[in-house]
Amino acid sequence: MFEAESFVREQVAIVREKIEGNAIIACSGGVDSTVAAAIVNEAIGDRLLTIYVDTGLMRKGETEEVAGMLDDLGLNYKIVDASEEFFNALEGISDPEEKRKAIGERFIRVFEREAKAFDADYLVQGTIAPDWIESGDEFRDTIKSHHNVGGIPEEMGLELIEPLRDLYKDEVRIIARHLGVKVSERQPFPGPALAIRVLGEVTRENVEIVRNACYIAEDEIEMAAKKGIMELPWQYFAVLLPVQSVGVHGDARVYGKTVVVRAVKSIDGMSAAYSRIPHEVLEKISVRITNEMKRQVNRVVYDITNKPPGTIEWE
Ligand code: XMP
């Protein structure tokens, strides 16, 4: 049986011993980075600066929610508004891997600046065992290295601190519960965030549409699961397609965008089955999206593809 209390005690002692000056950690509000931040905070207090980068690509209310959570945990944190620079970096890019690269690069530049300003010698990361155990899959390694802002320590001469390195997700969740970290049950969310849920070019307008659509899909699905109408899927969201189809507005035929609703059942994201969302729930999602965004979206479709052959995300 995994013992959260003794694990935390032991790691706090190790971290306290290792870190002599200041440290920074990038925290997106995800369970791994938040738990890592909480442990290091316990060890060195305000000598740890937790950085949340507002990329402009996060879900509705996410920045406020994460800030509230970091407050509750008593962390010394800073919210860096970098949305302008992320949107500029994404301008004109439609290729998914180019998007990931541009985003990874931006994260690195932001951290470089922040680490320098805080005079940090250490970089804390919420790396867990599946992130480094060889998967034999280069693509996945690339994903993780972007997500965990790989390359920073070597480039910047920062020493890496990874208190969760030997743990699996279920163990991190046990620690999260033990420490009262609220994010512990959240659905997975990709590092490049909503940028890979806007197919084609990422503009502020398109991100706003997909942000609202994701919110509506999440909201209706969570309400339905609470009522017992359906099981809560492992992951559930919306995607905006660069496809215009015809619709009616009063007497006029007008073109509007298409939103896909995606929901899957999975254990680890490696394979997945599409979720059987009841039609009444799908209809509510569709009506809300097309009502609340009538000028932009006129069609909602449901993705019924398993993984493989599809992936969970569309990019
Ligand atoms: P796919 O789309 O490959 O996704 O079936 C599997 C899981 O990984 C997430 N995902 C990512 N996570 N950086 C991440 O941190 C990425 O670039 C990325 N791409 C996909 C996806 O949301 C799903 O949970």
Side-chain angles (χ1 to χ4, degrees):
M1 182 62 193
F2 177 70
E3 265 288 331
E5 196 178 337
S6 54
F7 177 87
V8 171
R9 206 181 318 120
E10 196 179 291
Q11 283 305 319
V12 166
I14 293 173
V15 168
R16 199 173 277 148
E17 178 84 3
K18 261 194 207 160
I19 300 184
E20 276 167 12
N22 293 341
I24 59 163
I25 181 167
C27 181
S28 60
V31 62
D32 302 342
S33 56
T34 310
V35 167
I39 289 176
V40 176
N41 175 60
E42 185 82 23
I44 64 165
D46 284 356
R47 284 193 286 130
L48 172 71
L49 178 65
T50 300
I51 292 163
Y52 172 89
V53 183
D54 182 356
T55 57
L57 303 167
M58 306 307 280
R59 285 168 290 186
K60 196 174 186 138
E62 194 153 21
T63 300
E64 296 74 13
E65 208 179 291
V66 174
M69 187 187 74
L70 299 177
D71 264 333
D72 288 348
L73 289 170
L75 299 182
N76 170 28
Y77 73 90
K78 176 174 179 185
I79 294 180
V80 180
D81 179 2
S83 55
E84 185 85 25
E85 99 181 63
F86 274 80
F87 280 110
N88 286 344
L90 286 164
E91 206 178 316
I93 300 179
S94 293
D95 178 78
E97 288 320 297
E98 288 298 313
K99 283 184 194 175
R100 286 189 167 87
K101 238 183 248 161
I103 290 169
E105 170 82 22
R106 256 323 91 201
F107 270 118
I108 291 176
R109 297 287 90 85
V110 173
F111 288 124
E112 263 175 1
R113 286 201 307 261
E114 296 301 327
K116 212 168 175 188
F118 191 61
D119 203 13
D121 295 319
Y122 301 84
L123 177 77
V124 181
Q125 287 197 322
T127 319
I128 62 172
D131 296 340
W132 59 268
I133 288 173
E134 211 175 52
S135 62
D137 175 348
E138 266 177 44
F139 183 60
R140 193 106 328 237
D141 285 350
T142 310
I143 284 173
K144 284 301 174 187
S145 66
H146 281 159
H147 187 43
N148 294 330
V149 284
I152 285 198
E154 302 91 77
E155 279 177 35
M156 298 169 60
L158 292 177
E159 194 175 321
L160 199 57
I161 305 283
E162 296 177 314
L164 311 178
R165 225 185 126 69
D166 296 324
L167 302 188
Y168 285 85
K169 201 81 177 186
D170 55 324
E171 294 167 329
V172 180
R173 287 188 194 283
I174 294 172
I175 301 178
R177 280 192 285 272
H178 170 74
L179 296 174
V181 173
K182 273 191 276 172
V183 288
S184 55
E185 312 302 334
R186 278 173 65 174
Q187 64 162 320
F189 186 59
L194 296 176
I196 57 164
R197 293 184 181 168
V198 169
L199 270 68
E201 193 181 347
V202 181
T203 61
R204 281 183 188 272
E205 193 203 347
N206 285 341
V207 169
E208 196 52 33
I209 295 173
V210 88
R211 177 182 290 123
N212 284 328
C214 276
Y215 174 72
I216 292 168
E218 283 187 27
D219 191 40
E220 289 297 335
I221 289 172
E222 282 165 11
M223 275 196 291
K226 225 178 241 165
K227 283 189 202 148
I229 299 170
M230 59 178 283
E231 220 178 276
L232 193 67
W234 188 75
Q235 204 170 356
Y236 44 102
F237 53 91
V239 177
L240 181 66
L241 301 187
V243 169
Q244 298 261 14
S245 73
V246 74
V248 280
H249 246 295
D251 295 335
R253 284 162 70 80
V254 286
Y255 285 86
K257 297 183 169 154
T258 304
V259 163
V260 181
V261 177
R262 179 72 163 144
V264 296
K265 196 173 170 165
S266 178
I267 305 236
D268 53 9
M270 299 300 281
S271 62
Y274 81 87
S275 298
R276 271 77 171 157
I277 300 183
H279 277 269
E280 59 191 282
V281 180
L282 285 173
E283 187 176 348
K284 275 192 185 151
I285 294 173
S286 162
V287 168
R288 254 179 90 180
I289 289 177
T290 49
N291 273 343
E292 290 179 27
M293 288 180 281
K294 28 168 110 55
R295 305 240 157 259
Q296 297 121 323
V297 181
N298 67 355
R299 205 168 288 272
V300 176
V301 298
Y302 188 48
D303 182 354
I304 51 167
T305 321
N306 295 327
K307 173 183 180 178
T311 46
I312 297 174
E313 304 287 346
W314 274 52
E315 282 195 336

